[in-house]
Amino acid sequence: AATAPRIPPTRLALHHFDMSYSLQLKDLWPSVRASLLCEQKYGALLNNFSPVDHVTQELELLNATDFVSEAPKKAQQSQRGAAAETSLPLRASIRSNIKCYTFPRGDITRFRPARPDTLGLFDYYLMDAASLLPVLALNVQPNDFVLDLCAAPGGKTLALLQTGACGHLAANDISISRTKRLYQVLRSYVPKEIREAVSVTSCDGRDWGQLKGSTFHKVLVDVPCTTDRHSVMEEENNIFHRRRTKERQMLPMLQLQLLMAGILATKPGGEVVYSTCSLSPLQNEHVIE
């Protein structure tokens, strides 16, 4: 065992995905595999707490577009009849103030680093644009009490604040170090008077239903997962490391417990969005079932 070659966790992850996702996705897997192994392409979430008109003009001159406002147009073009019903939750949420600029498919231009305005607030936040989809699906309405159960490092929490609709926002993450990153994001992008309306905690999310049951109109349960792109690209903090095998195997149980806690924290008639950064049915459909 001491002399056997050590297989990097990234290779273990890719082997695992080749075995499972090729059966799940069949002919689509080669293109999905190539996408996972490509450099990540970011979107620029505009910060509505900073003057954004000049930033909007700058991004549009670079041929970037706001994919959030473009979505309803594309949905109307591509969906007809009963199929159009599937886009209604997304269309409803488009009325929010969220704007996220992306470059066209095939354009690998990078956004410049965010810059602070005269008040010291940064003009946009770079994130995976797909990470906005759970926030849009949550469809926050004016004065909703909202819980982000697994909030760090803070991109989705910031996006929830960009809606301008949260009556109160609770942002929780079990990791104290990750919660510090969340605080940093809030300080860098959100005015003090808005930050004071956000309660940040470092509780075990599985206990939240017992702590504050039936409290929130909307709950986002963006659970820890295998984070597929990270797993095939980064050695550091990789869940496919051999010493984390048991932790990885227990992920669906952890995800189920977090989802149950999120449901218990929701008012009757409220809504819960469950999301992952994984393609695995064990961590998605099977948890919901």
Side-chain angles (χ1 to χ4, degrees):
T3 57
R6 296 174 64 183
I7 301 175
T10 49
R11 278 183 55 194
L12 285 175
L14 189 58
H15 175 70
H16 177 84
F17 296 156
D18 279 334
M19 296 292 289
S20 57
Y21 293 163
S22 61
L23 296 175
Q24 172 191 341
L25 299 173
K26 299 183 171 60
D27 293 344
L28 291 174
W29 171 235
S31 63
V32 174
R33 186 184 196 271
S35 298
L36 280 177
L37 294 170
C38 284
E39 183 179 350
Q40 190 161 2
K41 186 176 177 180
Y42 288 99
L45 171 67
L46 291 196
N47 184 12
N48 293 323
F49 302 114
S50 175
V52 294
D53 289 345
H54 70 284
V55 182
T56 300
Q57 294 170 5
E58 175 189 341
L59 295 177
E60 289 176 352
L61 284 172
L62 293 172
N63 200 32
T65 56
D66 172 24
F67 88 87
V68 182
S69 62
E70 290 293 316
K73 303 173 189 175
K74 293 182 178 178
Q76 288 171 357
Q77 293 169 1
S78 62
Q79 295 178 322
R80 295 290 183 270
E85 294 177 9
T86 60
S87 67
L88 286 177
L90 183 58
R91 286 185 190 171
S93 65
I94 297 305
R95 289 195 292 268
S96 75
N97 296 318
I98 293 176
K99 295 181 177 64
C100 184
Y101 278 77
T102 57
F103 290 108
R105 180 176 293 185
D107 185 341
I108 57 172
T109 304
R110 294 186 183 186
F111 291 100
R112 62 159 174 80
R115 290 194 289 249
D117 62 15
T118 53
L119 297 176
L121 300 178
F122 286 94
D123 49 12
Y124 55 64
Y125 180 84
L126 295 179
M127 64 189 301
D128 186 330
S131 295
L132 276 182
L133 299 180
V135 175
L136 293 170
L138 200 59
N139 191 22
V140 178
Q141 299 298 303
N143 299 316
D144 273 352
F145 276 46
V146 182
L147 168 63
D148 188 353
L149 191 60
C150 307
K156 294 181 180 68
T157 304
L158 179 61
L160 286 166
L161 289 172
Q162 298 304 314
T163 65
C166 298
H168 175 73
L169 176 60
N172 177 74
D173 199 277
I174 190 173
S175 167
I176 294 175
S177 62
R178 284 168 57 86
T179 305
K180 288 179 181 177
R181 291 175 62 191
L182 171 59
Y183 273 118
Q184 184 58 48
V185 168
L186 293 176
R187 282 194 294 267
S188 299
Y189 289 87
V190 182
K192 184 178 179 182
E193 61 272 19
I194 304 295
R195 291 201 306 268
E196 290 174 348
V198 181
S199 58
V200 178
T201 53
S202 295
C203 305
D204 187 333
R206 292 173 290 186
D207 299 330
W208 197 275
Q210 301 168 11
L211 295 171
K212 294 185 180 180
S214 303
T215 304
F216 298 93
H217 301 97
K218 302 289 172 67
V219 176
L220 176 59
V221 187
D222 184 56
V223 293
C225 64
T226 49
T227 321
D228 294 354
R229 181 191 291 276
H230 178 88
S231 293
V232 299
M233 297 290 280
E234 303 287 341
E235 302 293 338
E236 185 178 353
N237 197 31
N238 193 313
I239 199 161
F240 280 86
H241 196 287
R242 290 193 183 279
R243 68 171 178 268
R244 300 184 70 185
T245 299
K246 189 68 175 177
E247 178 186 352
R248 188 177 76 249
Q249 292 172 341
M250 292 301 292
L251 273 175
M253 179 57 69
L254 170 63
Q255 293 159 344
L256 176 60
Q257 292 168 335
L258 287 167
L259 176 56
M260 290 299 297
I263 292 170
L264 291 172
T266 309
K267 288 176 178 287
E271 297 178 55
V272 178
V273 168
Y274 172 85
S275 60
T276 76
C277 303
S278 172
L279 298 168
S280 166
L282 284 175
Q283 300 175 66
N284 289 291
E285 297 93 322
H286 291 186
V287 170
I288 300 298
E289 289 168 8

